[in-house]
Amino acid sequence: MNDKPSNRVKLEPAQQKALFRLQRRLLLRSGLTLGALTLLTGCNLQDGDEVDKVLWAMSRWNDRVQGWLFSGQRLAQTYRADQITNPFPFNAFYPEFNVPEIDLSTYQLEVSGRVADKRPWTLDKLQALPRQSQITRLICIEGWSAIGQWDGVPLRTFLERIGADLRAGFVGFRCADRYYSSIDMATALHPQTTLALDFAGKALPDAFGFPLRLRVPTKLGFKNAKHIVALSVGNANPGGYWEDQGYNWFSGI
Ligand SMILES: Nc1nc2c(c(=O)[nH]1)N[C@H]1C(S)=C(S)[C@@H](COP(=O)(O)O)O[C@H]1N2
Ligand SMILES: [Mo]
């Protein structure tokens, strides 16, 4: 986006007010920035004529988001292999050279909370579970998005396998880099929500969450925990690294 004032279309005062209200509502209700909205709606907010379209799209978005997510079935858009973004962007709360290196000889996925079987999982055991594949768009709240391919175990399958209480409210994730996040149970059981083991047809690279990450295409990027070392099921909301710093917890699209 070009922020030079000379390239900006001047908005009418009423439009300016509307944009301001829109921005507030976005932040309060969705955690989305205008940059993220631009990606979601395909509208160019530099262009005054587009503002009405954006406002219209936004109110429709607000109305639909809850229904999509509570239905637990609405599918995120999928893409063709030739639409995959290459190279795929890295993002974390630290630079890429600080990505955690996981030692597979000691790696375990811990399981806790409202689950019948609390035995930890090795990567081998996870790899033996049924798999699914998706080509979907990861949307970062910082204003970029990218299409990638992830394969792994449907989270629903895993939760059933460990005898999780599927009526509990939340599934939480703790990561090797001290990141953490959580999702509501409807999202955890959504057919596209995956405990991803592979990216682009190979084991997850270190940067993209080795050895295990959450891929939840109905949520913003920051809900897609990488380097997962512990999963919990419960009725208290475990929050998250960004969620606890003011990003909207729901952050669904
Ligand atoms: N463990 C961990 N997971 C994380 C993060 C992180 O800093 N640590 N960043 C999140 C954010 S903000 C985004 S946008 C995506 C980026 O995933 P990518 O590096 O595969 O693009 O990972 C999410 N998961
Ligand atoms: Mo992000």
Side-chain angles (χ1 to χ4, degrees), residues 109-115 117-118 155 158-159 162 164-165 168-175 180-185 188 195 228-239:
L109 174 66
E110 278 170 35
V111 166
S112 67
R114 298 182 66 88
V115 300
D117 184 351
K118 294 189 171 142
L155 182 56
F158 183 76
L159 292 173
I162 62 176
D165 175 4
F170 305 95
V171 179
F173 303 90
R174 276 199 307 106
C175 309
Y180 62 107
S181 186
S182 53
I183 54 176
D184 56 285
M185 185 59 78
L195 280 176
I228 297 171
V229 295
L231 177 154
S232 63
V233 176
N235 286 318
N237 185 338

PDB file of all heavy atoms in Angstrom, residues 109-115 117-118 155 158-159 162 164-165 168-175 180-185 188 195 228-239:
ATOM      1  N   LEU A 109       4.248 -34.939  22.459  1.00  0.00           N
ATOM      2  CA  LEU A 109       3.072 -34.081  22.564  1.00  0.00           C
ATOM      3  C   LEU A 109       2.333 -34.463  23.839  1.00  0.00           C
ATOM      4  O   LEU A 109       1.815 -35.577  23.956  1.00  0.00           O
ATOM      5  CB  LEU A 109       2.154 -34.253  21.351  1.00  0.00           C
ATOM      6  CG  LEU A 109       0.825 -33.501  21.449  1.00  0.00           C
ATOM      7  CD1 LEU A 109       1.027 -31.990  21.433  1.00  0.00           C
ATOM      8  CD2 LEU A 109      -0.125 -33.934  20.329  1.00  0.00           C
ATOM      9  N   GLU A 110       2.329 -33.548  24.786  1.00  0.00           N
ATOM     10  CA  GLU A 110       1.599 -33.792  26.039  1.00  0.00           C
ATOM     11  C   GLU A 110       0.118 -33.515  25.841  1.00  0.00           C
ATOM     12  O   GLU A 110      -0.249 -32.614  25.100  1.00  0.00           O
ATOM     13  CB  GLU A 110       2.097 -32.852  27.141  1.00  0.00           C
ATOM     14  CG  GLU A 110       3.348 -33.288  27.827  1.00  0.00           C
ATOM     15  CD  GLU A 110       3.878 -32.176  28.730  1.00  0.00           C
ATOM     16  OE1 GLU A 110       3.048 -31.442  29.317  1.00  0.00           O
ATOM     17  OE2 GLU A 110       5.102 -32.034  28.795  1.00  0.00           O
ATOM     18  N   VAL A 111      -0.698 -34.276  26.563  1.00  0.00           N
ATOM     19  CA  VAL A 111      -2.147 -34.126  26.461  1.00  0.00           C
ATOM     20  C   VAL A 111      -2.702 -33.994  27.873  1.00  0.00           C
ATOM     21  O   VAL A 111      -2.324 -34.760  28.756  1.00  0.00           O
ATOM     22  CB  VAL A 111      -2.732 -35.353  25.734  1.00  0.00           C
ATOM     23  CG1 VAL A 111      -4.214 -35.422  25.898  1.00  0.00           C
ATOM     24  CG2 VAL A 111      -2.345 -35.338  24.260  1.00  0.00           C
ATOM     25  N   SER A 112      -3.554 -33.000  28.097  1.00  0.00           N
ATOM     26  CA  SER A 112      -4.063 -32.819  29.464  1.00  0.00           C
ATOM     27  C   SER A 112      -5.492 -32.283  29.458  1.00  0.00           C
ATOM     28  O   SER A 112      -6.026 -31.910  28.416  1.00  0.00           O
ATOM     29  CB  SER A 112      -3.150 -31.858  30.238  1.00  0.00           C
ATOM     30  OG  SER A 112      -3.252 -30.570  29.682  1.00  0.00           O
ATOM     31  N   GLY A 113      -6.088 -32.258  30.654  1.00  0.00           N
ATOM     32  CA  GLY A 113      -7.435 -31.710  30.818  1.00  0.00           C
ATOM     33  C   GLY A 113      -8.500 -32.780  30.691  1.00  0.00           C
ATOM     34  O   GLY A 113      -8.311 -33.915  31.139  1.00  0.00           O
ATOM     35  N   ARG A 114      -9.596 -32.400  30.027  1.00  0.00           N
ATOM     36  CA  ARG A 114     -10.765 -33.278  29.948  1.00  0.00           C
ATOM     37  C   ARG A 114     -10.585 -34.315  28.834  1.00  0.00           C
ATOM     38  O   ARG A 114     -11.251 -34.263  27.790  1.00  0.00           O
ATOM     39  CB  ARG A 114     -12.029 -32.446  29.737  1.00  0.00           C
ATOM     40  CG  ARG A 114     -12.293 -31.471  30.901  1.00  0.00           C
ATOM     41  CD  ARG A 114     -13.565 -30.698  30.702  1.00  0.00           C
ATOM     42  NE  ARG A 114     -14.734 -31.570  30.763  1.00  0.00           N
ATOM     43  CZ  ARG A 114     -15.381 -31.888  31.865  1.00  0.00           C
ATOM     44  NH1 ARG A 114     -14.970 -31.422  33.030  1.00  0.00           N
ATOM     45  NH2 ARG A 114     -16.437 -32.664  31.821  1.00  0.00           N
ATOM     46  N   VAL A 115      -9.630 -35.231  29.047  1.00  0.00           N
ATOM     47  CA  VAL A 115      -9.374 -36.313  28.090  1.00  0.00           C
ATOM     48  C   VAL A 115      -9.220 -37.624  28.860  1.00  0.00           C
ATOM     49  O   VAL A 115      -8.677 -37.642  29.968  1.00  0.00           O
ATOM     50  CB  VAL A 115      -8.102 -36.057  27.237  1.00  0.00           C
ATOM     51  CG1 VAL A 115      -8.219 -34.778  26.441  1.00  0.00           C
ATOM     52  CG2 VAL A 115      -6.864 -36.003  28.108  1.00  0.00           C
ATOM     53  N   ASP A 117      -7.489 -40.391  27.870  1.00  0.00           N
ATOM     54  CA  ASP A 117      -6.158 -40.985  27.747  1.00  0.00           C
ATOM     55  C   ASP A 117      -5.107 -39.880  27.717  1.00  0.00           C
ATOM     56  O   ASP A 117      -4.977 -39.166  26.724  1.00  0.00           O
ATOM     57  CB  ASP A 117      -6.098 -41.810  26.451  1.00  0.00           C
ATOM     58  CG  ASP A 117      -4.770 -42.539  26.291  1.00  0.00           C
ATOM     59  OD1 ASP A 117      -3.837 -42.272  27.084  1.00  0.00           O
ATOM     60  OD2 ASP A 117      -4.675 -43.360  25.356  1.00  0.00           O
ATOM     61  N   LYS A 118      -4.363 -39.745  28.812  1.00  0.00           N
ATOM     62  CA  LYS A 118      -3.407 -38.636  28.937  1.00  0.00           C
ATOM     63  C   LYS A 118      -1.980 -39.041  28.598  1.00  0.00           C
ATOM     64  O   LYS A 118      -1.044 -38.286  28.864  1.00  0.00           O
ATOM     65  CB  LYS A 118      -3.469 -38.048  30.354  1.00  0.00           C
ATOM     66  CG  LYS A 118      -4.811 -37.378  30.611  1.00  0.00           C
ATOM     67  CD  LYS A 118      -4.863 -36.602  31.901  1.00  0.00           C
ATOM     68  CE  LYS A 118      -6.155 -35.813  31.935  1.00  0.00           C
ATOM     69  NZ  LYS A 118      -6.780 -35.733  33.238  1.00  0.00           N
ATOM     70  N   LEU A 155      -7.959 -32.535  13.541  1.00  0.00           N
ATOM     71  CA  LEU A 155      -7.939 -32.373  15.003  1.00  0.00           C
ATOM     72  C   LEU A 155      -9.068 -33.169  15.635  1.00  0.00           C
ATOM     73  O   LEU A 155      -8.914 -33.739  16.716  1.00  0.00           O
ATOM     74  CB  LEU A 155      -8.024 -30.890  15.379  1.00  0.00           C
ATOM     75  CG  LEU A 155      -7.958 -30.597  16.872  1.00  0.00           C
ATOM     76  CD1 LEU A 155      -6.696 -31.177  17.522  1.00  0.00           C
ATOM     77  CD2 LEU A 155      -8.035 -29.088  17.129  1.00  0.00           C
ATOM     78  N   PHE A 158      -7.963 -36.670  16.221  1.00  0.00           N
ATOM     79  CA  PHE A 158      -7.059 -36.759  17.368  1.00  0.00           C
ATOM     80  C   PHE A 158      -7.827 -36.646  18.685  1.00  0.00           C
ATOM     81  O   PHE A 158      -7.607 -37.428  19.624  1.00  0.00           O
ATOM     82  CB  PHE A 158      -5.982 -35.673  17.284  1.00  0.00           C
ATOM     83  CG  PHE A 158      -4.982 -35.777  18.401  1.00  0.00           C
ATOM     84  CD1 PHE A 158      -4.003 -36.755  18.383  1.00  0.00           C
ATOM     85  CD2 PHE A 158      -5.041 -34.915  19.486  1.00  0.00           C
ATOM     86  CE1 PHE A 158      -3.092 -36.878  19.425  1.00  0.00           C
ATOM     87  CE2 PHE A 158      -4.135 -35.027  20.528  1.00  0.00           C
ATOM     88  CZ  PHE A 158      -3.163 -36.010  20.499  1.00  0.00           C
ATOM     89  N   LEU A 159      -8.765 -35.701  18.746  1.00  0.00           N
ATOM     90  CA  LEU A 159      -9.534 -35.510  19.981  1.00  0.00           C
ATOM     91  C   LEU A 159     -10.353 -36.755  20.304  1.00  0.00           C
ATOM     92  O   LEU A 159     -10.469 -37.158  21.466  1.00  0.00           O
ATOM     93  CB  LEU A 159     -10.439 -34.278  19.857  1.00  0.00           C
ATOM     94  CG  LEU A 159      -9.706 -32.933  19.803  1.00  0.00           C
ATOM     95  CD1 LEU A 159     -10.691 -31.791  19.512  1.00  0.00           C
ATOM     96  CD2 LEU A 159      -8.942 -32.660  21.103  1.00  0.00           C
ATOM     97  N   ILE A 162      -8.041 -39.538  21.765  1.00  0.00           N
ATOM     98  CA  ILE A 162      -7.614 -39.396  23.159  1.00  0.00           C
ATOM     99  C   ILE A 162      -8.801 -39.352  24.115  1.00  0.00           C
ATOM    100  O   ILE A 162      -8.639 -39.148  25.314  1.00  0.00           O
ATOM    101  CB  ILE A 162      -6.734 -38.136  23.366  1.00  0.00           C
ATOM    102  CG1 ILE A 162      -7.505 -36.851  23.026  1.00  0.00           C
ATOM    103  CG2 ILE A 162      -5.439 -38.246  22.542  1.00  0.00           C
ATOM    104  CD1 ILE A 162      -6.735 -35.562  23.302  1.00  0.00           C
ATOM    105  N   ALA A 164     -11.301 -37.154  24.241  1.00  0.00           N
ATOM    106  CA  ALA A 164     -11.554 -35.798  24.732  1.00  0.00           C
ATOM    107  C   ALA A 164     -13.050 -35.584  24.955  1.00  0.00           C
ATOM    108  O   ALA A 164     -13.874 -36.160  24.244  1.00  0.00           O
ATOM    109  CB  ALA A 164     -11.024 -34.780  23.733  1.00  0.00           C
ATOM    110  N   ASP A 165     -13.379 -34.776  25.920  1.00  0.00           N
ATOM    111  CA  ASP A 165     -14.760 -34.351  26.134  1.00  0.00           C
ATOM    112  C   ASP A 165     -15.092 -33.324  25.051  1.00  0.00           C
ATOM    113  O   ASP A 165     -14.670 -32.165  25.129  1.00  0.00           O
ATOM    114  CB  ASP A 165     -14.895 -33.736  27.530  1.00  0.00           C
ATOM    115  CG  ASP A 165     -16.287 -33.159  27.753  1.00  0.00           C
ATOM    116  OD1 ASP A 165     -17.158 -33.298  26.856  1.00  0.00           O
ATOM    117  OD2 ASP A 165     -16.503 -32.563  28.834  1.00  0.00           O
ATOM    118  N   ALA A 168     -16.612 -29.973  25.905  1.00  0.00           N
ATOM    119  CA  ALA A 168     -15.829 -28.946  26.603  1.00  0.00           C
ATOM    120  C   ALA A 168     -15.753 -27.702  25.710  1.00  0.00           C
ATOM    121  O   ALA A 168     -16.005 -27.768  24.505  1.00  0.00           O
ATOM    122  CB  ALA A 168     -14.428 -29.466  26.910  1.00  0.00           C
ATOM    123  N   GLY A 169     -15.383 -26.583  26.294  1.00  0.00           N
ATOM    124  CA  GLY A 169     -15.428 -25.318  25.557  1.00  0.00           C
ATOM    125  C   GLY A 169     -14.233 -25.040  24.674  1.00  0.00           C
ATOM    126  O   GLY A 169     -14.370 -24.427  23.605  1.00  0.00           O
ATOM    127  N   PHE A 170     -13.040 -25.483  25.096  1.00  0.00           N
ATOM    128  CA  PHE A 170     -11.816 -24.981  24.465  1.00  0.00           C
ATOM    129  C   PHE A 170     -10.763 -26.067  24.284  1.00  0.00           C
ATOM    130  O   PHE A 170     -10.685 -27.015  25.068  1.00  0.00           O
ATOM    131  CB  PHE A 170     -11.191 -23.872  25.335  1.00  0.00           C
ATOM    132  CG  PHE A 170     -12.148 -22.750  25.629  1.00  0.00           C
ATOM    133  CD1 PHE A 170     -12.902 -22.746  26.813  1.00  0.00           C
ATOM    134  CD2 PHE A 170     -12.320 -21.706  24.733  1.00  0.00           C
ATOM    135  CE1 PHE A 170     -13.797 -21.717  27.077  1.00  0.00           C
ATOM    136  CE2 PHE A 170     -13.197 -20.678  24.988  1.00  0.00           C
ATOM    137  CZ  PHE A 170     -13.947 -20.679  26.163  1.00  0.00           C
ATOM    138  N   VAL A 171      -9.961 -25.860  23.245  1.00  0.00           N
ATOM    139  CA  VAL A 171      -8.739 -26.645  23.090  1.00  0.00           C
ATOM    140  C   VAL A 171      -7.574 -25.648  23.090  1.00  0.00           C
ATOM    141  O   VAL A 171      -7.591 -24.666  22.331  1.00  0.00           O
ATOM    142  CB  VAL A 171      -8.745 -27.467  21.784  1.00  0.00           C
ATOM    143  CG1 VAL A 171      -7.446 -28.253  21.635  1.00  0.00           C
ATOM    144  CG2 VAL A 171      -9.952 -28.418  21.768  1.00  0.00           C
ATOM    145  N   GLY A 172      -6.605 -25.898  23.966  1.00  0.00           N
ATOM    146  CA  GLY A 172      -5.456 -24.995  24.092  1.00  0.00           C
ATOM    147  C   GLY A 172      -4.182 -25.661  23.586  1.00  0.00           C
ATOM    148  O   GLY A 172      -4.057 -26.891  23.606  1.00  0.00           O
ATOM    149  N   PHE A 173      -3.243 -24.827  23.123  1.00  0.00           N
ATOM    150  CA  PHE A 173      -1.971 -25.321  22.593  1.00  0.00           C
ATOM    151  C   PHE A 173      -0.823 -24.558  23.233  1.00  0.00           C
ATOM    152  O   PHE A 173      -0.881 -23.334  23.343  1.00  0.00           O
ATOM    153  CB  PHE A 173      -1.921 -25.127  21.074  1.00  0.00           C
ATOM    154  CG  PHE A 173      -3.055 -25.789  20.358  1.00  0.00           C
ATOM    155  CD1 PHE A 173      -4.239 -25.111  20.119  1.00  0.00           C
ATOM    156  CD2 PHE A 173      -2.958 -27.119  19.962  1.00  0.00           C
ATOM    157  CE1 PHE A 173      -5.313 -25.736  19.484  1.00  0.00           C
ATOM    158  CE2 PHE A 173      -4.016 -27.750  19.326  1.00  0.00           C
ATOM    159  CZ  PHE A 173      -5.199 -27.058  19.091  1.00  0.00           C
ATOM    160  N   ARG A 174       0.205 -25.309  23.671  1.00  0.00           N
ATOM    161  CA  ARG A 174       1.453 -24.686  24.140  1.00  0.00           C
ATOM    162  C   ARG A 174       2.568 -25.080  23.195  1.00  0.00           C
ATOM    163  O   ARG A 174       2.593 -26.202  22.691  1.00  0.00           O
ATOM    164  CB  ARG A 174       1.785 -25.137  25.559  1.00  0.00           C
ATOM    165  CG  ARG A 174       1.077 -24.342  26.641  1.00  0.00           C
ATOM    166  CD  ARG A 174       1.772 -24.494  27.995  1.00  0.00           C
ATOM    167  NE  ARG A 174       1.959 -25.887  28.369  1.00  0.00           N
ATOM    168  CZ  ARG A 174       3.122 -26.529  28.329  1.00  0.00           C
ATOM    169  NH1 ARG A 174       4.223 -25.911  27.940  1.00  0.00           N
ATOM    170  NH2 ARG A 174       3.190 -27.789  28.696  1.00  0.00           N
ATOM    171  N   CYS A 175       3.490 -24.175  22.959  1.00  0.00           N
ATOM    172  CA  CYS A 175       4.493 -24.368  21.921  1.00  0.00           C
ATOM    173  C   CYS A 175       5.895 -24.356  22.509  1.00  0.00           C
ATOM    174  O   CYS A 175       6.121 -23.836  23.605  1.00  0.00           O
ATOM    175  CB  CYS A 175       4.376 -23.263  20.879  1.00  0.00           C
ATOM    176  SG  CYS A 175       2.694 -23.069  20.270  1.00  0.00           S
ATOM    177  N   TYR A 180       1.591 -19.614  22.815  1.00  0.00           N
ATOM    178  CA  TYR A 180       0.425 -20.432  23.158  1.00  0.00           C
ATOM    179  C   TYR A 180      -0.794 -19.808  22.505  1.00  0.00           C
ATOM    180  O   TYR A 180      -0.795 -18.620  22.149  1.00  0.00           O
ATOM    181  CB  TYR A 180       0.262 -20.556  24.675  1.00  0.00           C
ATOM    182  CG  TYR A 180       0.016 -19.243  25.395  1.00  0.00           C
ATOM    183  CD1 TYR A 180      -1.238 -18.923  25.908  1.00  0.00           C
ATOM    184  CD2 TYR A 180       1.048 -18.311  25.564  1.00  0.00           C
ATOM    185  CE1 TYR A 180      -1.458 -17.725  26.576  1.00  0.00           C
ATOM    186  CE2 TYR A 180       0.832 -17.111  26.218  1.00  0.00           C
ATOM    187  CZ  TYR A 180      -0.425 -16.826  26.719  1.00  0.00           C
ATOM    188  OH  TYR A 180      -0.649 -15.630  27.358  1.00  0.00           O
ATOM    189  N   SER A 181      -1.835 -20.634  22.318  1.00  0.00           N
ATOM    190  CA  SER A 181      -3.060 -20.142  21.710  1.00  0.00           C
ATOM    191  C   SER A 181      -4.174 -21.129  22.024  1.00  0.00           C
ATOM    192  O   SER A 181      -3.933 -22.170  22.643  1.00  0.00           O
ATOM    193  CB  SER A 181      -2.877 -19.975  20.199  1.00  0.00           C
ATOM    194  OG  SER A 181      -4.009 -19.361  19.632  1.00  0.00           O
ATOM    195  N   SER A 182      -5.391 -20.791  21.599  1.00  0.00           N
ATOM    196  CA  SER A 182      -6.516 -21.677  21.898  1.00  0.00           C
ATOM    197  C   SER A 182      -7.652 -21.411  20.925  1.00  0.00           C
ATOM    198  O   SER A 182      -7.738 -20.331  20.337  1.00  0.00           O
ATOM    199  CB  SER A 182      -6.988 -21.452  23.338  1.00  0.00           C
ATOM    200  OG  SER A 182      -7.253 -20.078  23.562  1.00  0.00           O
ATOM    201  N   ILE A 183      -8.501 -22.423  20.750  1.00  0.00           N
ATOM    202  CA  ILE A 183      -9.670 -22.288  19.878  1.00  0.00           C
ATOM    203  C   ILE A 183     -10.893 -22.856  20.589  1.00  0.00           C
ATOM    204  O   ILE A 183     -10.778 -23.660  21.516  1.00  0.00           O
ATOM    205  CB  ILE A 183      -9.463 -23.009  18.524  1.00  0.00           C
ATOM    206  CG1 ILE A 183      -9.062 -24.473  18.723  1.00  0.00           C
ATOM    207  CG2 ILE A 183      -8.394 -22.279  17.682  1.00  0.00           C
ATOM    208  CD1 ILE A 183      -8.937 -25.262  17.425  1.00  0.00           C
ATOM    209  N   ASP A 184     -12.071 -22.430  20.119  1.00  0.00           N
ATOM    210  CA  ASP A 184     -13.321 -22.967  20.649  1.00  0.00           C
ATOM    211  C   ASP A 184     -13.520 -24.379  20.097  1.00  0.00           C
ATOM    212  O   ASP A 184     -12.969 -24.740  19.058  1.00  0.00           O
ATOM    213  CB  ASP A 184     -14.490 -22.055  20.258  1.00  0.00           C
ATOM    214  CG  ASP A 184     -14.557 -21.853  18.756  1.00  0.00           C
ATOM    215  OD1 ASP A 184     -13.718 -21.091  18.218  1.00  0.00           O
ATOM    216  OD2 ASP A 184     -15.406 -22.496  18.109  1.00  0.00           O
ATOM    217  N   MET A 185     -14.344 -25.167  20.803  1.00  0.00           N
ATOM    218  CA  MET A 185     -14.503 -26.578  20.416  1.00  0.00           C
ATOM    219  C   MET A 185     -15.142 -26.715  19.034  1.00  0.00           C
ATOM    220  O   MET A 185     -14.763 -27.615  18.262  1.00  0.00           O
ATOM    221  CB  MET A 185     -15.325 -27.328  21.471  1.00  0.00           C
ATOM    222  CG  MET A 185     -15.451 -28.826  21.226  1.00  0.00           C
ATOM    223  SD  MET A 185     -13.845 -29.696  21.153  1.00  0.00           S
ATOM    224  CE  MET A 185     -13.449 -29.820  22.893  1.00  0.00           C
ATOM    225  N   ALA A 188     -12.418 -26.516  16.748  1.00  0.00           N
ATOM    226  CA  ALA A 188     -11.553 -27.698  16.873  1.00  0.00           C
ATOM    227  C   ALA A 188     -12.127 -28.878  16.095  1.00  0.00           C
ATOM    228  O   ALA A 188     -11.383 -29.693  15.542  1.00  0.00           O
ATOM    229  CB  ALA A 188     -11.372 -28.062  18.344  1.00  0.00           C
ATOM    230  N   LEU A 195      -4.126 -30.949  12.707  1.00  0.00           N
ATOM    231  CA  LEU A 195      -2.809 -30.971  13.347  1.00  0.00           C
ATOM    232  C   LEU A 195      -1.823 -31.314  12.244  1.00  0.00           C
ATOM    233  O   LEU A 195      -1.640 -32.471  11.876  1.00  0.00           O
ATOM    234  CB  LEU A 195      -2.761 -32.049  14.444  1.00  0.00           C
ATOM    235  CG  LEU A 195      -3.382 -31.697  15.789  1.00  0.00           C
ATOM    236  CD1 LEU A 195      -3.322 -32.909  16.713  1.00  0.00           C
ATOM    237  CD2 LEU A 195      -2.688 -30.494  16.422  1.00  0.00           C
ATOM    238  N   ILE A 228       3.988 -27.242  18.368  1.00  0.00           N
ATOM    239  CA  ILE A 228       3.114 -27.587  19.497  1.00  0.00           C
ATOM    240  C   ILE A 228       3.753 -28.685  20.348  1.00  0.00           C
ATOM    241  O   ILE A 228       4.197 -29.717  19.820  1.00  0.00           O
ATOM    242  CB  ILE A 228       1.731 -28.054  18.996  1.00  0.00           C
ATOM    243  CG1 ILE A 228       1.037 -26.914  18.239  1.00  0.00           C
ATOM    244  CG2 ILE A 228       0.861 -28.527  20.163  1.00  0.00           C
ATOM    245  CD1 ILE A 228      -0.237 -27.350  17.533  1.00  0.00           C
ATOM    246  N   VAL A 229       3.806 -28.465  21.661  1.00  0.00           N
ATOM    247  CA  VAL A 229       4.320 -29.490  22.573  1.00  0.00           C
ATOM    248  C   VAL A 229       3.269 -29.964  23.576  1.00  0.00           C
ATOM    249  O   VAL A 229       3.470 -30.979  24.229  1.00  0.00           O
ATOM    250  CB  VAL A 229       5.587 -29.007  23.339  1.00  0.00           C
ATOM    251  CG1 VAL A 229       6.750 -28.775  22.368  1.00  0.00           C
ATOM    252  CG2 VAL A 229       5.292 -27.745  24.140  1.00  0.00           C
ATOM    253  N   ALA A 230       2.158 -29.235  23.688  1.00  0.00           N
ATOM    254  CA  ALA A 230       1.122 -29.654  24.630  1.00  0.00           C
ATOM    255  C   ALA A 230      -0.240 -29.199  24.153  1.00  0.00           C
ATOM    256  O   ALA A 230      -0.393 -28.092  23.630  1.00  0.00           O
ATOM    257  CB  ALA A 230       1.414 -29.091  26.022  1.00  0.00           C
ATOM    258  N   LEU A 231      -1.205 -30.081  24.341  1.00  0.00           N
ATOM    259  CA  LEU A 231      -2.593 -29.799  23.970  1.00  0.00           C
ATOM    260  C   LEU A 231      -3.457 -30.029  25.205  1.00  0.00           C
ATOM    261  O   LEU A 231      -3.253 -31.009  25.925  1.00  0.00           O
ATOM    262  CB  LEU A 231      -2.998 -30.732  22.821  1.00  0.00           C
ATOM    263  CG  LEU A 231      -4.417 -30.707  22.264  1.00  0.00           C
ATOM    264  CD1 LEU A 231      -4.409 -31.183  20.812  1.00  0.00           C
ATOM    265  CD2 LEU A 231      -5.378 -31.587  23.090  1.00  0.00           C
ATOM    266  N   SER A 232      -4.391 -29.113  25.457  1.00  0.00           N
ATOM    267  CA  SER A 232      -5.275 -29.285  26.607  1.00  0.00           C
ATOM    268  C   SER A 232      -6.727 -29.071  26.190  1.00  0.00           C
ATOM    269  O   SER A 232      -7.006 -28.324  25.249  1.00  0.00           O
ATOM    270  CB  SER A 232      -4.906 -28.290  27.706  1.00  0.00           C
ATOM    271  OG  SER A 232      -5.108 -26.970  27.241  1.00  0.00           O
ATOM    272  N   VAL A 233      -7.615 -29.767  26.883  1.00  0.00           N
ATOM    273  CA  VAL A 233      -9.050 -29.644  26.628  1.00  0.00           C
ATOM    274  C   VAL A 233      -9.694 -29.200  27.930  1.00  0.00           C
ATOM    275  O   VAL A 233      -9.393 -29.768  28.991  1.00  0.00           O
ATOM    276  CB  VAL A 233      -9.637 -31.004  26.169  1.00  0.00           C
ATOM    277  CG1 VAL A 233     -11.144 -30.910  25.985  1.00  0.00           C
ATOM    278  CG2 VAL A 233      -8.966 -31.473  24.876  1.00  0.00           C
ATOM    279  N   GLY A 234     -10.533 -28.173  27.887  1.00  0.00           N
ATOM    280  CA  GLY A 234     -11.145 -27.717  29.134  1.00  0.00           C
ATOM    281  C   GLY A 234     -12.225 -26.685  28.917  1.00  0.00           C
ATOM    282  O   GLY A 234     -12.523 -26.300  27.779  1.00  0.00           O
ATOM    283  N   ASN A 235     -12.772 -26.232  30.013  1.00  0.00           N
ATOM    284  CA  ASN A 235     -13.858 -25.253  29.943  1.00  0.00           C
ATOM    285  C   ASN A 235     -13.417 -23.834  30.274  1.00  0.00           C
ATOM    286  O   ASN A 235     -14.212 -22.902  30.165  1.00  0.00           O
ATOM    287  CB  ASN A 235     -15.014 -25.684  30.847  1.00  0.00           C
ATOM    288  CG  ASN A 235     -15.773 -26.845  30.228  1.00  0.00           C
ATOM    289  OD1 ASN A 235     -16.024 -26.862  29.022  1.00  0.00           O
ATOM    290  ND2 ASN A 235     -16.101 -27.836  31.037  1.00  0.00           N
ATOM    291  N   ALA A 236     -12.163 -23.679  30.671  1.00  0.00           N
ATOM    292  CA  ALA A 236     -11.628 -22.328  30.882  1.00  0.00           C
ATOM    293  C   ALA A 236     -10.864 -21.927  29.627  1.00  0.00           C
ATOM    294  O   ALA A 236     -10.123 -22.732  29.066  1.00  0.00           O
ATOM    295  CB  ALA A 236     -10.706 -22.316  32.088  1.00  0.00           C
ATOM    296  N   ASN A 237     -11.057 -20.694  29.185  1.00  0.00           N
ATOM    297  CA  ASN A 237     -10.376 -20.214  27.976  1.00  0.00           C
ATOM    298  C   ASN A 237      -8.883 -19.998  28.263  1.00  0.00           C
ATOM    299  O   ASN A 237      -8.535 -19.136  29.073  1.00  0.00           O
ATOM    300  CB  ASN A 237     -11.035 -18.905  27.521  1.00  0.00           C
ATOM    301  CG  ASN A 237     -10.474 -18.391  26.210  1.00  0.00           C
ATOM    302  OD1 ASN A 237      -9.347 -18.742  25.829  1.00  0.00           O
ATOM    303  ND2 ASN A 237     -11.241 -17.569  25.523  1.00  0.00           N
ATOM    304  N   PRO A 238      -7.996 -20.753  27.604  1.00  0.00           N
ATOM    305  CA  PRO A 238      -6.554 -20.621  27.885  1.00  0.00           C
ATOM    306  C   PRO A 238      -5.928 -19.360  27.292  1.00  0.00           C
ATOM    307  O   PRO A 238      -4.753 -19.095  27.532  1.00  0.00           O
ATOM    308  CB  PRO A 238      -5.942 -21.861  27.215  1.00  0.00           C
ATOM    309  CG  PRO A 238      -7.092 -22.719  26.778  1.00  0.00           C
ATOM    310  CD  PRO A 238      -8.265 -21.810  26.616  1.00  0.00           C
ATOM    311  N   GLY A 239      -6.669 -18.579  26.507  1.00  0.00           N
ATOM    312  CA  GLY A 239      -6.118 -17.359  25.914  1.00  0.00           C
ATOM    313  C   GLY A 239      -5.015 -17.665  24.915  1.00  0.00           C
ATOM    314  O   GLY A 239      -4.973 -18.746  24.332  1.00  0.00           O
TER     315      GLY A 239
END
